[in-house]
Structures are given as C-alpha cells and as structure tokens.
C-alpha cells in the first residue's frame, strides 16, 4: 500500500516512506486504478469522506508522482543494502552464489534477456533445491539504465541478495511498487489514518 500525505495546504502527495507529518491515507490500488479514480472524481470523494469534508487538491499527475516515489523508495533500499555489502552484482558471481544456495532473492532488469534470466533462474532453483517448482527471480519494472544510475555501477542487469534479512527489507518497497504498477494484484481501497497515531481505520472503496 502507498500512503498519501495531506499537506497543510490540502495538497494530496505520495509519501512512499510513510514519514510525512500530518494527516494521510493508505491506498491499495494500482496506478491504472488510481488514475481512473482521479478522472472519475471517486478518489476526491473517497478522501473527502475519509477526512470529513476537508478541502483537498488532487493533482492530475498523482499517478506518475506516486510511481516515481515508490521507485525511489525501492532504489534507496537497494542502495542501502549495497553499501552494507549485501548486494550481489554480475551474472557469473550471482550464478555461482545461486548454485551454492547462497541467494535469498534474485532480480532481473526489465530489459534483461530471456536467456540470461533463464540461466540464473535455473541456478537459483538448483541452489534452493526447488527444481521443477517454477521458482524464478523478480522481473523488475526498471531497466538496466535506471538500475545502473541508481546504484552507481555499469550495466546492472541482474542482482541478488544473499542475506534473508536484506531480502525481506527489499521486499517491502518492491511489493508496493509492483502492486502499483499492476505486476501484483492490488487491494482496491483507501484507509484514512489518524494524524497523531498513524492507525489505519476502515477501508473506503474507490474502485
């Protein structure tokens, strides 16, 4: 889910790290569903009901802003894991680690070749003792250029994590991004949040 923060001026903005102060709402919709809700006025109506008629300004490009924010949150997490020495880069190194069972998570750039993905996926299954299971790495909604720029490395096509804790930390922003882009199913709801305690209330459907 993605938190939308309500600014003091009433602007609705994405808060991918859920750190902005003040009132907010958690949404569980894809970008396509969000943009449809904006166009139809359902998002404004749902937020107005959730926040008891408070004046709100919903930008027309909220979908793009939200995807950018979720992408930055995911890449920031990857960068933190890389600086901590947890990220494995390079096809040969990943394949070696994967076959030995030392890979907890495997990812592929959106423009990675099918052949390259198949080889690493096979090594991943061998190491996980999951041959025949269909287990594969995540096809990310980012191409090699975006990954390379974000991580400060050349030609980042495949990447992996050996540490299970790192994999779990990366999975949180990745799931949010993938659900928003439509790669994963999204729950169609908006949940208002208290300004002081951040607790979620009953969901409000916008789809």
């Amino acid at each position: 889910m993605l938190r939308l923060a309500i600014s003091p001026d009433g602007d609705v903005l994405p808060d991918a790290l859920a750190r902005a102060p003040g009132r907010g709402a958690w949404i569980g919709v894809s970008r396509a569903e969000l943009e449809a809700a904006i166009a139809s006025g359902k998002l404004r109506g749902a937020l107005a009901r959730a926040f008891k008629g408070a004046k709100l300004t919903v930008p027309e490009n909220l979908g793009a802003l939200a995807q950018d924010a979720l992408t930055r949150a995911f890449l920031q997490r990857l960068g933190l894991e890389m600086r901590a020495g947890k990220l494995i880069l390079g096809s040969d190194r990943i394949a070696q680690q994967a076959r030995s069972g030392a890979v907890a998570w495997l990812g592929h750039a959106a423009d990675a070749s099918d052949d390259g993905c198949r080889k690493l996926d096979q090594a991943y299954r061998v190491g996980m003792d999951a041959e025949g299971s269909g287990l594969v790495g995540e096809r990310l909604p980012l191409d090699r250029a975006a990954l390379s720029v974000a991580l400060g490395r050349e030609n980042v096509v495949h990447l992996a994590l050996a540490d299970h804790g790192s994999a779990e930390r990366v999975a949180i922003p990745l799931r949010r991004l993938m659900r928003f882009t439509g790669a994963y199913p999204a729950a169609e709801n908006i949940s208002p949040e208290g300004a002081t305690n951040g607790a979620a209330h009953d969901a409000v459907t916008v789809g």
Side-chain angles (χ1 to χ4, degrees), residues 28-204:
V29 295
S30 68
R31 177 173 176 174
E33 291 164 339
L34 176 63
E35 290 177 340
I38 293 171
S40 67
K42 289 183 178 179
L43 178 66
R44 179 185 294 276
L47 289 174
R49 289 191 299 273
F51 297 118
K52 305 185 186 305
K55 291 185 178 180
L56 302 171
T57 300
V58 180
E60 293 182 0
N61 66 336
L62 182 59
L65 293 174
Q67 185 162 334
D68 287 346
L70 289 167
T71 299
R72 286 195 302 272
F74 169 61
L75 291 174
Q76 179 180 334
R77 186 71 256 172
L78 278 181
L80 290 171
E81 299 302 335
M82 184 178 73
R83 288 191 287 277
K86 306 295 186 181
L87 192 64
I88 306 169
L89 299 175
S91 296
D92 291 343
R93 187 177 174 212
I94 292 172
Q96 181 181 12
Q97 295 290 318
R99 279 192 292 269
S100 68
V103 166
W105 175 83
L106 174 64
H108 308 296
D111 57 347
S113 71
D114 291 340
D115 185 57
C117 292
R118 278 195 298 269
K119 290 177 180 177
L120 291 181
D121 289 341
Q122 175 62 24
Y124 186 32
R125 288 192 293 271
V126 169
M128 296 293 286
D129 195 22
E131 291 183 84
S133 68
L135 178 68
V136 296
E138 296 269 12
R139 181 73 77 154
L140 304 175
L142 298 163
D143 62 18
R144 69 185 71 194
L147 291 170
S148 299
V149 169
L151 297 175
R153 300 294 179 89
E154 292 185 2
N155 200 33
V156 177
V157 182
H158 308 282
L159 55 167
L161 292 163
D163 182 76
H164 286 276
S166 296
E168 291 174 1
R169 289 189 293 271
V170 165
I172 294 171
L174 177 58
R175 279 196 300 265
R176 290 173 179 167
L177 175 60
M178 297 287 271
R179 284 171 181 156
F180 191 71
T181 60
Y184 293 168
E188 299 180 1
N189 63 65
I190 290 182
S191 297
E193 170 190 275
T196 56
N197 60 18
H201 296 256
D202 292 338
V204 179

